[in-house]
Amino acid sequence: MSNHFSAAYLKFPGDDARLDLTDLYAFPAPGAPGRTTLIIDVNPFTTGLSATPPFLMSPEFHPDAVYRINIDNDGDNQADVAFSAVFTEAEEGRQAGTVSYATGDDARRTEPAGEVIASAVPVGFDAAAHPVQAGACELFMGVRSDPFFADAEGALHGFDWTGEDSFAGKDVQCIALQVPDDMLGPEPAISVWATVSVRHDGTLVQVDRGGNPTINPFINPDYAKDRYNAGHPADDVATYLQPWSKLLQENGYSAAEASVAAATVLPDVLHYDRDRPAVYPNGRGLTDDVFSARMAFLTHGGVTSDGLSPHDDMLAEFPYLGPPHR
C-alpha cells in the first residue's frame, strides 16, 4: 500500500478514515505549459467497507480537519507556500470546502492563513462533479477512483504475489489543484509534502503526513508510526537516518549503501524539479509504479515488480483521476 492505513497496526490516524492521507502527486499539467498539478488523496476505500473500525466508510471530508499541501522552495525543509482545505459538516449528502493559499510566515502557521482562493465549493460525491476555477487555479474536491495500484496482500505475505490489485475498483476523496508555476516559487525545484490535522479540544493536532509514497506503513515499526505522522520533515534526518539505515542493512545493504539509500527518502518530501522529466522520484504521476520502486528499495533490488499495471480509468482532463465507482 502507499500511505493507506498509515497509523500503528494498519489503522487510521485518529481512528478515522477521513484523516488518512493515502497519496500525494505532483506533475506538470498536460498540455498547459507553466502549470503544475498537485493532488492529495485521503479516506481510503471511501465508499466501501474496512476490516478495521469504522467498518462502514464515510464518503465525506472531516469537518474538523485541515488538509494541507506544503511547498518548500528554498531547500530548508520549511513551508514557503501552503494550500489548505477545510470543510463544512456534511448534511443531507452535501458538503462544501474552502481553500486558502499562503506564503511566507503564513504558510507555516498551524491554522489556514493567507488568501482564500475558493469558498463554499461543493464537494463532488458522484461522476457528475466538475472542477471549478479558484482564482488563477483549477480546483476539484470530491470522490474519485483511487489511482494507486499494488498487490498489497503479496507484499504483506513475503512477496508471494497474488496477481490481484488491492486498490482496483476502490475510491478515495481527492483534493486536486492545477496552479501557475509562479505560485510555487521562483525556482523550478521544489519539495512537497502533505499533512492532515484535526482539532482536539480546540487545538489543531497533526495526525498524518507524507511526501514519498509507501514510507510509513513499510519502513517504520508500529510503535513509531504515530510519532512519525505527527513529525516534521526538518527533523527527519536526525530522527530516522540511523534506524532506517539499520533496517536496510538487515535487508542486504552494506552500511555505506544503507546510509546513502536512506538519505534518498529523508527528509520525507517529494522532490519535484520542473526542468527534469516528471517521474518518481522526481515528482510523481498517477501511473508511476511507486509500489514496485519501494519494494526494490526495501529489498536491495531483490524484488523488482509485483507485475501489476496502472489503472485504466484515468481521464485526459483535470482532475485526471477516474470517476467514482459507487
Short mmCIF file of all heavy atoms in Angstrom, two decimals, residues 28-93:
data_model
loop_
_atom_site.label_atom_id
_atom_site.label_comp_id
_atom_site.label_asym_id
_atom_site.label_seq_id
_atom_site.Cartn_x
_atom_site.Cartn_y
_atom_site.Cartn_z
N PRO A 28 3.62 18.00 -14.12
CA PRO A 28 3.24 19.12 -14.97
C PRO A 28 1.84 18.93 -15.53
O PRO A 28 1.43 17.82 -15.85
CB PRO A 28 4.30 19.10 -16.08
CG PRO A 28 4.81 17.71 -16.10
CD PRO A 28 4.73 17.21 -14.69
N ALA A 29 1.11 20.02 -15.66
CA ALA A 29 -0.24 19.95 -16.20
C ALA A 29 -0.16 19.59 -17.68
O ALA A 29 0.45 20.32 -18.46
CB ALA A 29 -0.95 21.29 -16.02
N PRO A 30 -0.74 18.49 -18.10
CA PRO A 30 -0.66 18.09 -19.50
C PRO A 30 -1.25 19.15 -20.43
O PRO A 30 -2.37 19.64 -20.22
CB PRO A 30 -1.49 16.80 -19.56
CG PRO A 30 -1.50 16.29 -18.16
CD PRO A 30 -1.48 17.51 -17.29
N GLY A 31 -0.49 19.53 -21.45
CA GLY A 31 -0.98 20.48 -22.42
C GLY A 31 -1.12 21.89 -21.92
O GLY A 31 -1.75 22.73 -22.59
N ALA A 32 -0.56 22.19 -20.75
CA ALA A 32 -0.67 23.54 -20.17
C ALA A 32 0.68 23.96 -19.63
O ALA A 32 0.93 23.88 -18.42
CB ALA A 32 -1.74 23.57 -19.08
N PRO A 33 1.59 24.38 -20.48
CA PRO A 33 2.93 24.80 -20.03
C PRO A 33 2.83 25.88 -18.95
O PRO A 33 1.96 26.75 -19.00
CB PRO A 33 3.59 25.34 -21.30
CG PRO A 33 2.84 24.69 -22.42
CD PRO A 33 1.42 24.53 -21.94
N GLY A 34 3.74 25.79 -17.98
CA GLY A 34 3.76 26.79 -16.92
C GLY A 34 2.78 26.53 -15.80
O GLY A 34 2.55 27.41 -14.95
N ARG A 35 2.19 25.33 -15.77
CA ARG A 35 1.25 24.99 -14.69
C ARG A 35 1.61 23.63 -14.12
O ARG A 35 2.09 22.74 -14.83
CB ARG A 35 -0.20 24.99 -15.20
CG ARG A 35 -0.66 26.37 -15.67
CD ARG A 35 -2.07 26.33 -16.20
NE ARG A 35 -3.08 26.19 -15.16
CZ ARG A 35 -3.56 27.19 -14.44
NH1 ARG A 35 -3.10 28.42 -14.61
NH2 ARG A 35 -4.50 26.98 -13.53
N THR A 36 1.37 23.47 -12.83
CA THR A 36 1.68 22.23 -12.12
C THR A 36 0.41 21.67 -11.49
O THR A 36 -0.42 22.42 -10.97
CB THR A 36 2.74 22.49 -11.03
OG1 THR A 36 3.99 22.80 -11.65
CG2 THR A 36 2.93 21.28 -10.12
N THR A 37 0.29 20.35 -11.52
CA THR A 37 -0.82 19.66 -10.88
C THR A 37 -0.37 19.11 -9.53
O THR A 37 0.66 18.44 -9.44
CB THR A 37 -1.33 18.50 -11.75
OG1 THR A 37 -1.66 18.99 -13.05
CG2 THR A 37 -2.55 17.86 -11.13
N LEU A 38 -1.12 19.42 -8.48
CA LEU A 38 -0.87 18.92 -7.13
C LEU A 38 -2.13 18.21 -6.66
O LEU A 38 -3.23 18.78 -6.72
CB LEU A 38 -0.54 20.07 -6.17
CG LEU A 38 0.67 20.93 -6.51
CD1 LEU A 38 0.69 22.19 -5.64
CD2 LEU A 38 1.96 20.14 -6.33
N ILE A 39 -1.98 16.98 -6.19
CA ILE A 39 -3.13 16.18 -5.77
C ILE A 39 -2.81 15.48 -4.46
O ILE A 39 -1.74 14.89 -4.31
CB ILE A 39 -3.50 15.12 -6.83
CG1 ILE A 39 -3.89 15.78 -8.15
CG2 ILE A 39 -4.63 14.22 -6.33
CD1 ILE A 39 -4.11 14.78 -9.28
N ILE A 40 -3.74 15.55 -3.51
CA ILE A 40 -3.68 14.67 -2.35
C ILE A 40 -4.96 13.86 -2.29
O ILE A 40 -6.06 14.36 -2.58
CB ILE A 40 -3.45 15.43 -1.01
CG1 ILE A 40 -4.55 16.45 -0.74
CG2 ILE A 40 -2.09 16.06 -0.98
CD1 ILE A 40 -4.45 17.06 0.65
N ASP A 41 -4.81 12.59 -1.93
CA ASP A 41 -5.94 11.69 -1.75
C ASP A 41 -6.00 11.28 -0.29
O ASP A 41 -4.97 11.04 0.35
CB ASP A 41 -5.79 10.44 -2.62
CG ASP A 41 -5.90 10.75 -4.10
OD1 ASP A 41 -6.50 11.79 -4.46
OD2 ASP A 41 -5.37 9.96 -4.91
N VAL A 42 -7.21 11.17 0.22
CA VAL A 42 -7.43 10.77 1.61
C VAL A 42 -8.61 9.82 1.65
O VAL A 42 -9.31 9.63 0.66
CB VAL A 42 -7.69 11.99 2.53
CG1 VAL A 42 -6.51 12.95 2.52
CG2 VAL A 42 -8.97 12.72 2.12
N ASN A 43 -8.85 9.23 2.83
CA ASN A 43 -10.04 8.43 3.08
C ASN A 43 -10.08 7.20 2.18
O ASN A 43 -10.89 7.11 1.26
CB ASN A 43 -11.29 9.29 2.87
CG ASN A 43 -12.51 8.74 3.62
OD1 ASN A 43 -12.50 7.61 4.08
ND2 ASN A 43 -13.54 9.55 3.72
N PRO A 44 -9.20 6.23 2.42
CA PRO A 44 -9.15 5.05 1.56
C PRO A 44 -10.44 4.24 1.58
O PRO A 44 -11.13 4.15 2.60
CB PRO A 44 -8.00 4.23 2.16
CG PRO A 44 -7.92 4.66 3.58
CD PRO A 44 -8.29 6.12 3.57
N PHE A 45 -10.75 3.67 0.44
CA PHE A 45 -11.96 2.85 0.30
C PHE A 45 -13.18 3.67 0.74
O PHE A 45 -14.05 3.20 1.45
CB PHE A 45 -11.86 1.57 1.13
CG PHE A 45 -10.66 0.71 0.84
CD1 PHE A 45 -10.36 -0.35 1.66
CD2 PHE A 45 -9.84 0.94 -0.26
CE1 PHE A 45 -9.27 -1.16 1.40
CE2 PHE A 45 -8.75 0.13 -0.52
CZ PHE A 45 -8.45 -0.92 0.31
N THR A 46 -13.23 4.91 0.24
CA THR A 46 -14.19 5.90 0.70
C THR A 46 -15.62 5.39 0.83
O THR A 46 -16.30 5.65 1.81
CB THR A 46 -14.17 7.11 -0.25
OG1 THR A 46 -12.95 7.83 -0.02
CG2 THR A 46 -15.33 8.05 0.00
N THR A 47 -16.09 4.67 -0.16
CA THR A 47 -17.50 4.26 -0.12
C THR A 47 -17.64 2.75 0.03
O THR A 47 -18.62 2.16 -0.40
CB THR A 47 -18.22 4.73 -1.38
OG1 THR A 47 -17.46 4.31 -2.53
CG2 THR A 47 -18.36 6.22 -1.40
N GLY A 48 -16.66 2.13 0.64
CA GLY A 48 -16.71 0.68 0.81
C GLY A 48 -16.68 0.27 2.26
O GLY A 48 -17.12 0.99 3.15
N LEU A 49 -16.12 -0.90 2.51
CA LEU A 49 -16.03 -1.45 3.86
C LEU A 49 -14.59 -1.61 4.26
O LEU A 49 -13.71 -1.85 3.43
CB LEU A 49 -16.74 -2.81 3.92
CG LEU A 49 -18.23 -2.82 3.61
CD1 LEU A 49 -18.75 -4.25 3.59
CD2 LEU A 49 -19.01 -2.01 4.64
N SER A 50 -14.32 -1.48 5.53
CA SER A 50 -12.98 -1.62 6.07
C SER A 50 -12.92 -2.82 7.01
O SER A 50 -13.91 -3.19 7.62
CB SER A 50 -12.58 -0.35 6.84
OG SER A 50 -11.43 -0.57 7.61
N ALA A 51 -11.72 -3.39 7.12
CA ALA A 51 -11.53 -4.50 8.05
C ALA A 51 -11.36 -4.02 9.48
O ALA A 51 -11.38 -4.82 10.42
CB ALA A 51 -10.32 -5.32 7.63
N THR A 52 -11.15 -2.71 9.66
CA THR A 52 -10.99 -2.16 11.00
C THR A 52 -12.01 -1.03 11.20
O THR A 52 -12.45 -0.41 10.24
CB THR A 52 -9.57 -1.59 11.19
OG1 THR A 52 -9.32 -0.59 10.20
CG2 THR A 52 -8.53 -2.67 11.07
N PRO A 53 -12.40 -0.74 12.44
CA PRO A 53 -13.39 0.32 12.69
C PRO A 53 -12.89 1.67 12.17
O PRO A 53 -11.70 1.92 12.22
CB PRO A 53 -13.52 0.33 14.21
CG PRO A 53 -13.02 -1.01 14.65
CD PRO A 53 -11.97 -1.40 13.66
N PRO A 54 -13.78 2.55 11.67
CA PRO A 54 -15.20 2.29 11.44
C PRO A 54 -15.39 1.40 10.22
O PRO A 54 -14.81 1.65 9.18
CB PRO A 54 -15.77 3.69 11.20
CG PRO A 54 -14.62 4.45 10.63
CD PRO A 54 -13.39 3.92 11.29
N PHE A 55 -16.20 0.36 10.34
CA PHE A 55 -16.31 -0.64 9.30
C PHE A 55 -16.98 -0.10 8.04
O PHE A 55 -16.60 -0.42 6.93
CB PHE A 55 -17.05 -1.87 9.82
CG PHE A 55 -16.34 -2.53 10.96
CD1 PHE A 55 -16.80 -2.41 12.26
CD2 PHE A 55 -15.18 -3.26 10.74
CE1 PHE A 55 -16.13 -3.02 13.31
CE2 PHE A 55 -14.51 -3.87 11.79
CZ PHE A 55 -14.98 -3.75 13.08
N LEU A 56 -18.01 0.73 8.21
CA LEU A 56 -18.66 1.36 7.07
C LEU A 56 -17.99 2.70 6.83
O LEU A 56 -18.04 3.59 7.68
CB LEU A 56 -20.15 1.55 7.33
CG LEU A 56 -20.96 2.20 6.20
CD1 LEU A 56 -20.90 1.32 4.95
CD2 LEU A 56 -22.39 2.43 6.63
N MET A 57 -17.36 2.85 5.67
CA MET A 57 -16.57 4.05 5.40
C MET A 57 -17.47 5.20 4.98
O MET A 57 -18.43 5.01 4.23
CB MET A 57 -15.55 3.76 4.30
CG MET A 57 -14.73 2.51 4.57
SD MET A 57 -13.67 2.69 6.00
CE MET A 57 -12.30 3.52 5.25
N SER A 58 -17.15 6.39 5.44
CA SER A 58 -17.94 7.57 5.16
C SER A 58 -17.31 8.36 4.03
O SER A 58 -16.09 8.54 4.00
CB SER A 58 -18.01 8.43 6.44
OG SER A 58 -18.81 9.56 6.23
N PRO A 59 -18.09 8.86 3.06
CA PRO A 59 -17.51 9.44 1.86
C PRO A 59 -17.13 10.91 1.95
O PRO A 59 -16.68 11.48 0.96
CB PRO A 59 -18.62 9.25 0.82
CG PRO A 59 -19.88 9.35 1.62
CD PRO A 59 -19.56 8.70 2.94
N GLU A 60 -17.29 11.54 3.12
CA GLU A 60 -17.02 12.97 3.18
C GLU A 60 -15.65 13.26 3.79
O GLU A 60 -14.98 12.39 4.34
CB GLU A 60 -18.11 13.69 3.97
CG GLU A 60 -18.07 13.42 5.47
CD GLU A 60 -18.96 12.26 5.88
OE1 GLU A 60 -19.51 11.58 5.00
OE2 GLU A 60 -19.10 12.02 7.10
N PHE A 61 -15.23 14.53 3.69
CA PHE A 61 -14.05 15.02 4.40
C PHE A 61 -14.42 15.30 5.86
O PHE A 61 -15.58 15.56 6.18
CB PHE A 61 -13.53 16.30 3.75
CG PHE A 61 -12.98 16.12 2.37
CD1 PHE A 61 -13.74 16.39 1.25
CD2 PHE A 61 -11.66 15.68 2.18
CE1 PHE A 61 -13.23 16.24 -0.03
CE2 PHE A 61 -11.15 15.52 0.90
CZ PHE A 61 -11.94 15.80 -0.21
N HIS A 62 -13.42 15.28 6.73
CA HIS A 62 -13.65 15.53 8.15
C HIS A 62 -13.89 17.04 8.36
O HIS A 62 -13.06 17.86 7.97
CB HIS A 62 -12.45 15.08 8.97
CG HIS A 62 -12.72 14.90 10.42
ND1 HIS A 62 -13.15 15.92 11.24
CD2 HIS A 62 -12.63 13.80 11.23
CE1 HIS A 62 -13.30 15.49 12.47
NE2 HIS A 62 -13.01 14.20 12.49
N PRO A 63 -14.97 17.43 9.01
CA PRO A 63 -15.27 18.86 9.16
C PRO A 63 -14.38 19.59 10.16
O PRO A 63 -14.37 20.84 10.17
CB PRO A 63 -16.73 18.87 9.63
CG PRO A 63 -16.90 17.55 10.31
CD PRO A 63 -16.06 16.58 9.54
N ASP A 64 -13.64 18.85 10.98
CA ASP A 64 -12.74 19.50 11.94
C ASP A 64 -11.27 19.35 11.54
O ASP A 64 -10.38 19.60 12.36
CB ASP A 64 -12.94 18.90 13.34
CG ASP A 64 -14.29 19.27 13.94
OD1 ASP A 64 -14.72 20.42 13.74
OD2 ASP A 64 -14.92 18.41 14.57
N ALA A 65 -11.04 18.97 10.29
CA ALA A 65 -9.67 18.73 9.83
C ALA A 65 -9.19 19.87 8.92
O ALA A 65 -9.98 20.61 8.35
CB ALA A 65 -9.59 17.41 9.07
N VAL A 66 -7.87 19.97 8.83
CA VAL A 66 -7.22 20.83 7.85
C VAL A 66 -6.35 19.94 6.98
O VAL A 66 -5.44 19.26 7.48
CB VAL A 66 -6.36 21.92 8.52
CG1 VAL A 66 -5.62 22.74 7.46
CG2 VAL A 66 -7.22 22.83 9.38
N TYR A 67 -6.64 19.92 5.68
CA TYR A 67 -5.87 19.15 4.70
C TYR A 67 -4.95 20.13 3.99
O TYR A 67 -5.41 21.14 3.44
CB TYR A 67 -6.81 18.48 3.70
CG TYR A 67 -7.83 17.56 4.33
CD1 TYR A 67 -9.07 18.04 4.76
CD2 TYR A 67 -7.56 16.20 4.48
CE1 TYR A 67 -10.02 17.19 5.33
CE2 TYR A 67 -8.51 15.34 5.05
CZ TYR A 67 -9.72 15.85 5.48
OH TYR A 67 -10.65 15.00 6.04
N ARG A 68 -3.65 19.83 3.99
CA ARG A 68 -2.69 20.84 3.53
C ARG A 68 -1.64 20.25 2.60
O ARG A 68 -1.12 19.15 2.84
CB ARG A 68 -2.00 21.49 4.74
CG ARG A 68 -0.93 22.52 4.39
CD ARG A 68 -0.48 23.28 5.62
NE ARG A 68 -1.55 24.12 6.12
CZ ARG A 68 -1.47 24.85 7.24
NH1 ARG A 68 -0.36 24.80 7.97
NH2 ARG A 68 -2.48 25.60 7.62
N ILE A 69 -1.32 21.01 1.54
CA ILE A 69 -0.18 20.74 0.67
C ILE A 69 0.87 21.80 0.97
O ILE A 69 0.61 23.00 0.84
CB ILE A 69 -0.58 20.78 -0.81
CG1 ILE A 69 -1.67 19.75 -1.11
CG2 ILE A 69 0.65 20.53 -1.69
CD1 ILE A 69 -2.21 19.83 -2.53
N ASN A 70 2.04 21.34 1.41
CA ASN A 70 3.14 22.23 1.79
C ASN A 70 4.21 22.24 0.71
O ASN A 70 4.57 21.19 0.18
CB ASN A 70 3.77 21.76 3.11
CG ASN A 70 2.76 21.62 4.22
OD1 ASN A 70 2.41 22.59 4.89
ND2 ASN A 70 2.25 20.41 4.43
N ILE A 71 4.74 23.43 0.41
CA ILE A 71 5.78 23.60 -0.61
C ILE A 71 6.98 24.30 0.01
O ILE A 71 6.86 25.40 0.56
CB ILE A 71 5.29 24.45 -1.80
CG1 ILE A 71 3.93 23.96 -2.32
CG2 ILE A 71 6.35 24.50 -2.89
CD1 ILE A 71 3.95 22.65 -3.02
N ASP A 72 8.14 23.66 -0.08
CA ASP A 72 9.42 24.30 0.28
C ASP A 72 10.12 24.67 -1.01
O ASP A 72 10.39 23.80 -1.84
CB ASP A 72 10.27 23.34 1.10
CG ASP A 72 11.71 23.82 1.27
OD1 ASP A 72 11.94 25.05 1.23
OD2 ASP A 72 12.61 22.95 1.40
N ASN A 73 10.40 25.96 -1.21
CA ASN A 73 11.05 26.37 -2.45
C ASN A 73 12.45 26.96 -2.28
O ASN A 73 13.03 27.49 -3.22
CB ASN A 73 10.16 27.35 -3.24
CG ASN A 73 9.80 28.60 -2.46
OD1 ASN A 73 10.58 29.09 -1.65
ND2 ASN A 73 8.61 29.14 -2.71
N ASP A 74 13.01 26.82 -1.04
CA ASP A 74 14.37 27.31 -0.84
C ASP A 74 15.29 26.30 -0.16
O ASP A 74 16.40 26.62 0.25
CB ASP A 74 14.37 28.63 -0.07
CG ASP A 74 13.75 28.52 1.32
OD1 ASP A 74 13.47 27.38 1.77
OD2 ASP A 74 13.53 29.56 1.96
N GLY A 75 14.83 25.06 -0.01
CA GLY A 75 15.69 23.98 0.45
C GLY A 75 15.90 23.87 1.94
O GLY A 75 16.78 23.11 2.37
N ASP A 76 15.08 24.56 2.76
CA ASP A 76 15.29 24.48 4.21
C ASP A 76 14.30 23.56 4.91
O ASP A 76 14.25 23.50 6.14
CB ASP A 76 15.24 25.88 4.83
CG ASP A 76 13.87 26.54 4.72
OD1 ASP A 76 12.98 25.96 4.05
OD2 ASP A 76 13.69 27.65 5.26
N ASN A 77 13.49 22.84 4.13
CA ASN A 77 12.50 21.89 4.67
C ASN A 77 11.45 22.56 5.54
O ASN A 77 10.87 21.93 6.44
CB ASN A 77 13.20 20.76 5.44
CG ASN A 77 14.13 19.96 4.56
OD1 ASN A 77 13.78 19.58 3.45
ND2 ASN A 77 15.35 19.72 5.04
N GLN A 78 11.20 23.82 5.26
CA GLN A 78 10.11 24.56 5.89
C GLN A 78 9.16 25.04 4.80
O GLN A 78 9.58 25.33 3.68
CB GLN A 78 10.64 25.77 6.68
CG GLN A 78 11.62 25.43 7.79
CD GLN A 78 10.95 24.77 8.98
OE1 GLN A 78 9.73 24.82 9.14
NE2 GLN A 78 11.74 24.14 9.85
N ALA A 79 7.88 25.12 5.13
CA ALA A 79 6.90 25.51 4.12
C ALA A 79 7.06 26.99 3.77
O ALA A 79 7.07 27.85 4.65
CB ALA A 79 5.49 25.24 4.63
N ASP A 80 7.19 27.27 2.49
CA ASP A 80 7.18 28.64 1.96
C ASP A 80 5.86 28.96 1.28
O ASP A 80 5.52 30.13 1.08
CB ASP A 80 8.32 28.83 0.97
CG ASP A 80 9.68 28.55 1.59
OD1 ASP A 80 10.05 29.27 2.54
OD2 ASP A 80 10.36 27.61 1.14
N VAL A 81 5.13 27.91 0.92
CA VAL A 81 3.82 28.02 0.29
C VAL A 81 2.94 26.92 0.88
O VAL A 81 3.43 25.81 1.14
CB VAL A 81 3.91 27.85 -1.25
CG1 VAL A 81 2.52 27.79 -1.88
CG2 VAL A 81 4.74 28.96 -1.87
N ALA A 82 1.68 27.21 1.10
CA ALA A 82 0.76 26.18 1.59
C ALA A 82 -0.63 26.40 1.01
O ALA A 82 -1.13 27.53 0.96
CB ALA A 82 0.69 26.20 3.12
N PHE A 83 -1.21 25.30 0.55
CA PHE A 83 -2.62 25.28 0.15
C PHE A 83 -3.36 24.49 1.22
O PHE A 83 -3.06 23.31 1.45
CB PHE A 83 -2.80 24.61 -1.21
CG PHE A 83 -2.14 25.34 -2.35
CD1 PHE A 83 -0.84 25.03 -2.74
CD2 PHE A 83 -2.82 26.33 -3.04
CE1 PHE A 83 -0.23 25.69 -3.79
CE2 PHE A 83 -2.22 27.00 -4.11
CZ PHE A 83 -0.93 26.68 -4.48
N SER A 84 -4.35 25.11 1.88
CA SER A 84 -5.08 24.46 2.97
C SER A 84 -6.55 24.35 2.60
O SER A 84 -7.15 25.31 2.09
CB SER A 84 -4.94 25.25 4.27
OG SER A 84 -3.58 25.34 4.67
N ALA A 85 -7.14 23.21 2.88
CA ALA A 85 -8.55 22.98 2.61
C ALA A 85 -9.28 22.60 3.89
O ALA A 85 -8.81 21.75 4.65
CB ALA A 85 -8.73 21.88 1.57
N VAL A 86 -10.42 23.24 4.12
CA VAL A 86 -11.29 22.92 5.26
C VAL A 86 -12.71 22.72 4.72
O VAL A 86 -13.06 23.22 3.65
CB VAL A 86 -11.27 24.01 6.34
CG1 VAL A 86 -9.88 24.13 6.94
CG2 VAL A 86 -11.71 25.36 5.76
N PHE A 87 -13.52 22.00 5.52
CA PHE A 87 -14.83 21.59 5.02
C PHE A 87 -15.91 21.79 6.07
O PHE A 87 -15.65 21.75 7.28
CB PHE A 87 -14.79 20.12 4.58
CG PHE A 87 -13.84 19.89 3.44
CD1 PHE A 87 -12.51 19.59 3.68
CD2 PHE A 87 -14.27 20.01 2.14
CE1 PHE A 87 -11.62 19.41 2.63
CE2 PHE A 87 -13.40 19.83 1.07
CZ PHE A 87 -12.06 19.53 1.32
N THR A 88 -17.13 21.98 5.59
CA THR A 88 -18.29 22.08 6.47
C THR A 88 -18.72 20.69 6.92
O THR A 88 -18.23 19.68 6.43
CB THR A 88 -19.46 22.73 5.72
OG1 THR A 88 -19.84 21.88 4.61
CG2 THR A 88 -19.10 24.11 5.19
N GLU A 89 -19.64 20.64 7.86
CA GLU A 89 -20.30 19.39 8.20
C GLU A 89 -21.08 18.91 6.98
O GLU A 89 -21.64 19.71 6.22
CB GLU A 89 -21.27 19.58 9.36
CG GLU A 89 -20.60 19.88 10.70
CD GLU A 89 -20.19 18.60 11.43
OE1 GLU A 89 -20.41 17.50 10.88
OE2 GLU A 89 -19.66 18.73 12.54
N ALA A 90 -21.12 17.61 6.77
CA ALA A 90 -21.94 17.05 5.70
C ALA A 90 -23.39 16.97 6.16
O ALA A 90 -23.67 16.47 7.25
CB ALA A 90 -21.43 15.67 5.32
N GLU A 91 -24.29 17.50 5.35
CA GLU A 91 -25.71 17.48 5.68
C GLU A 91 -26.51 17.05 4.45
O GLU A 91 -26.36 17.63 3.37
CB GLU A 91 -26.18 18.86 6.15
CG GLU A 91 -25.53 19.33 7.45
CD GLU A 91 -26.08 20.66 7.90
OE1 GLU A 91 -26.98 21.20 7.22
OE2 GLU A 91 -25.60 21.17 8.93
N GLU A 92 -27.31 16.02 4.63
CA GLU A 92 -28.18 15.52 3.57
C GLU A 92 -27.39 15.23 2.29
O GLU A 92 -27.80 15.57 1.18
CB GLU A 92 -29.31 16.51 3.28
CG GLU A 92 -30.21 16.73 4.48
CD GLU A 92 -31.34 17.70 4.19
OE1 GLU A 92 -31.31 18.34 3.11
OE2 GLU A 92 -32.25 17.81 5.02
N GLY A 93 -26.21 14.63 2.47
CA GLY A 93 -25.40 14.24 1.33
C GLY A 93 -24.67 15.38 0.65
O GLY A 93 -24.18 15.21 -0.47
#
